Amino acid sequence: MTYLIAEPCVDLMDRSCVDVCPVDCIYQGGRKLYINPAECIECGACEPECPVDAIVLEQELTDDERVHLTDNATFFYDTLPGRDAPLGDPGGASTVGPVDIDTPLVAALPPRES
C-alpha cells in the first residue's frame, strides 16, 4: 500500500508535500504531483502538509478517488504522450526534475478556476 495524490492537486501543486518527503518520491507532472508507489515508504509525512487534502493512503480511498490509484501507476509505468519510455522507478524526483506531462486522465480534466 502507498499514498497517492488525488484530483484536488490538479492545477494547484502546492509542493509542501515535496519539501517534507524523506525519500524524494513525489514527482511533478504538468498539472499534478504523483507519488511513486515503489519508492514511497508510507511514512505519512506528506499527508498533513497538503492544503487541499489531496494525499490519501491507498486503503482509505473513496470510490470517487479510486480512479487515481490506476492513474498514479500510469504516470510511472505507462509510456505517456511525448515520452519514449515509461518513467519507471528512477530513485528520486530531484534526479528527474519536472516531467511537465500528465496522464491522459489528468490532461483531460478542465482547467481549475482560481
Side-chain angles (χ1 to χ4, degrees):
M1 300 298 166
T2 187
Y3 282 89
L4 61 99
I5 300 175
E7 189 171 335
C9 182
V10 175
D11 294 326
L12 176 67
M13 293 197 298
D14 176 75
R15 297 185 52 83
S16 296
C17 57
V18 173
D19 295 338
V20 299
C21 180
V23 294
D24 194 28
C25 71
I26 303 173
Y27 292 72
Q28 182 177 329
R31 299 176 60 198
K32 180 179 172 280
L33 300 171
Y34 301 85
I35 297 175
N36 186 299
E39 297 172 2
C40 178
I41 61 170
E42 300 172 40
C43 69
C46 59
E47 186 179 23
E49 298 301 317
C50 182
V52 293
D53 298 323
I55 301 174
V56 183
L57 191 57
E58 180 180 342
Q59 55 264 47
E60 296 175 1
L61 289 170
T62 65
D63 288 341
D64 290 341
E65 294 166 331
R66 190 150 305 282
V67 67
H68 291 282
L69 179 60
T70 302
D71 186 64
N72 191 71
T74 296
F75 184 78
F76 295 100
Y77 305 122
D78 290 1
T79 302
L80 298 176
R83 294 192 57 90
D84 295 331
L87 184 59
D89 304 320
S94 61
T95 62
V96 174
V99 178
D100 291 330
I101 56 171
D102 288 293
T103 61
L105 174 76
V106 172
L109 291 171
R112 188 176 306 277
E113 306 222 1
S114 48

